[in-house]
């Protein structure tokens, strides 16, 4: 049981790194040189929303990355627009610029190509749904553990 648990954890990490490699490969194919794979995922997760950096960070999709630094680079390279929050002068809101929307559309096309592969059954949609359900259960288990660990102190 322990071996399966550890293998699952290591596979999650490997899959994340492999997915970042997929995004990097697509950026290279598109000849996009002014952003990286992590920054591209940040853009994709912002989508059509207007968020603060804190809200973006709370989504928790950016393993090992400094969200503030990456947002700064995305603003500098004209992928993001940044404006003061109307409710809190200490914070700013970010949204996609036209350049950011264009890159997201290209990444969405990549995901569409992946969906076409999945529709051929490699892996099957049912297998992917089952894996996703299991990963959500694991996430809940870890969240519950962390919440209870603080209570035990």
């Amino acid at each position: 049981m322990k071996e399966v648990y550890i293998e699952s954890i290591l596979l999650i990490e490997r899959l994340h790194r492999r997915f970042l490699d997929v995004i990097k490969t697509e950026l290279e194919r598109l000849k996009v040189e002014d952003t990286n794979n992590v920054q591209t995922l940040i853009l994709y997760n912002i989508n059509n929303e207007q968020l603060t950096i804190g809200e973006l960070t709370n989504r928790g999709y950016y393993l090992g990355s400094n969200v503030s630094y990456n947002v700064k680079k995305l603003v500098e390279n004209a992928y993001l627009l940044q404006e003061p929050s109307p409710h809190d002068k200490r914070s700013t809101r970010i949204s996609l610029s036209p350049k950011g929307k264009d890159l997201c559309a290209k990444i969405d096309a990549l995901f569409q190509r992946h969906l076409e592969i999945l529709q051929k059954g490699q892996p099957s949609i049912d297998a992917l749904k089952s894996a996703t359900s299991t990963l959500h259960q694991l996430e809940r288990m870890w969240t519950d553990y962390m919440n209870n660990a603080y209570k035990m102190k």
Side-chain angles (χ1 to χ4, degrees):
M1 175 119 175
K2 180 180 177 184
E3 291 83 15
V4 172
Y5 176 64
I6 299 299
E7 183 181 2
S8 298
I9 294 167
L10 296 175
L11 180 59
I12 292 166
E13 182 183 0
R14 256 191 345 261
L15 284 171
H16 177 71
R17 284 195 314 266
R18 179 58 46 104
F19 180 67
L20 288 174
D21 290 342
V22 168
I23 299 296
K24 180 181 179 200
T25 300
E26 185 66 4
L27 292 173
E28 290 169 356
R29 188 185 75 76
L30 295 169
K31 296 183 176 28
V32 174
E33 297 177 351
D34 59 349
T35 190
N36 64 35
N37 48 8
V38 171
Q39 292 166 355
T40 300
L41 283 181
I42 290 171
L43 291 173
Y44 195 82
N45 283 300
I46 292 171
N47 201 354
N48 291 320
E49 296 183 67
Q50 189 177 53
L51 304 169
T52 65
I53 293 174
E55 290 167 335
L56 188 59
T57 302
N58 287 339
R59 291 183 177 196
Y61 301 127
Y62 316 109
L63 295 177
S65 73
N66 182 327
V67 176
S68 296
Y69 169 80
N70 285 314
V71 165
K72 178 183 173 204
K73 297 306 279 181
L74 289 165
V75 169
E76 287 174 6
N77 290 317
Y79 286 99
L80 283 179
L81 303 172
Q82 192 171 22
E83 61 184 56
S85 172
H87 306 295
D88 183 354
K89 299 204 186 299
R90 296 169 295 169
S91 93
T92 59
R93 302 198 64 75
I94 52 175
S95 60
L96 297 180
S97 69
K99 183 178 178 182
K101 289 178 184 178
D102 180 60
L103 181 56
C104 285
K106 291 174 181 173
I107 296 302
D108 204 50
L110 167 70
F111 293 160
Q112 188 60 45
R113 291 192 305 275
H114 292 171
L115 288 174
E116 291 167 9
I117 295 168
L118 287 169
Q119 288 172 342
K120 294 176 183 173
Q122 300 294 326
S124 73
I125 296 298
D126 288 340
L128 196 55
K129 286 179 182 177
S130 177
T132 301
S133 175
T134 301
L135 291 171
H136 280 296
Q137 291 171 13
L138 189 57
E139 179 185 32
R140 278 191 298 277
M141 182 194 83
W142 286 340
T143 300
D144 291 346
Y145 176 83
M146 288 185 304
N147 289 337
N148 291 329
Y150 284 116
K151 293 176 185 175
M152 292 187 290
K153 283 186 174 184

